[in-house]
């Protein structure tokens, strides 16, 4: 009898949940770009296409994609994805500095000189004194340029 009551109750709850539709004020875009790079304002969402036309990439794009397109139009690389030019061997006294807006960053090391060993991924942490490649011993350190409050919602 108890299991029958649970099944009936579960069906009623499920039906009521399915019938509910989200209110407009409950729906919002998910992105971490705003807290990282400051408020983007009206440029965060594209204007969309005019009636009877097909939207261009810039008109259609939103969020990170739109920010990346706008940065490319200004001749900037938003995420700086180019490899680091390493002209010296990183040591404890003079480590290879890696810019980061996050307190933790992944970096691939191929040794010094370049391509002297297989690619190894290292996890750099701003709280570490330095981080060292286990293969070649090269030393890396984060040059943290983010905000001390993290990404804006207190955890």
């Amino acid at each position: 009898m108890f299991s029958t009551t649970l099944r009936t109750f579960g069906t009623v709850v499920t039906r009521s949940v399915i019938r509910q539709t989200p209110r407009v004020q409950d729906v919002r875009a998910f992105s971490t770009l705003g807290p990282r790079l400051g408020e983007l304002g009206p440029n965060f969402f594209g204007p969309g296409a005019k009636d009877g036309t097909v939207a261009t990439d810039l008109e259609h794009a939103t969020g990170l994609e739109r920010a990346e397109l706008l940065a490319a139009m200004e001749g900037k690389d938003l995420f700086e994805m180019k490899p680091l030019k390493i002209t010296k061997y990183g040591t404890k006294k003079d480590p290879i500095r890696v810019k980061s807006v996050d307190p933790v960053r992944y970096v691939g090391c191929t040794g010094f000189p370049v391509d002297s060993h297989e690619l190894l991924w290292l996890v750099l942490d701003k709280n570490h004194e330095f981080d060292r490649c286990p293969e070649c011993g090269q030393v890396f350190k984060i040059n943290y340029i983010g905000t001390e409050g993290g990404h804006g919602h207190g955890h």
Side-chain angles (χ1 to χ4, degrees), residues 83-99 107-109 111-112 122 124 129-133 136-143:
L84 290 174
K85 292 191 189 231
I86 299 178
T87 58
K88 63 180 176 76
Y89 182 81
T91 62
K92 279 182 167 182
K93 291 183 181 179
D94 191 18
I96 302 297
R97 296 280 182 172
V98 180
K99 279 194 329 186
V107 173
C109 179
F112 187 82
L122 312 171
L124 307 185
E129 180 183 355
F130 59 84
D131 292 287
R132 185 184 295 270
C133 174
C136 66
Q138 188 158 213
V139 177
F140 297 88
K141 178 134 182 81
I142 281 188
N143 183 16

Side-chain angles (χ1 to χ4, degrees), residues 25-65:
Q25 64 267 26
D26 292 340
V27 179
R28 60 188 168 103
F30 173 75
S31 175
T32 59
L33 186 64
R36 281 189 180 172
L37 301 178
E39 197 56 47
L40 294 177
N43 288 335
F44 194 66
F45 296 102
K50 296 186 177 30
D51 290 339
T53 64
V54 176
T56 64
D57 286 344
L58 185 60
E59 291 171 337
H60 188 268
T62 62
L64 288 173
E65 181 184 7

Side-chain angles (χ1 to χ4, degrees), residues 94-126:
D94 191 18
I96 302 297
R97 296 280 182 172
V98 180
K99 279 194 329 186
S100 178
V101 295
D102 286 326
V104 176
R105 178 159 180 186
Y106 291 90
V107 173
C109 179
T110 60
F112 187 82
V114 176
D115 293 331
S116 60
H117 67 71
E118 292 293 320
L119 175 68
L120 291 175
W121 291 99
L122 312 171
V123 180
L124 307 185
D125 190 319
K126 82 170 190 128

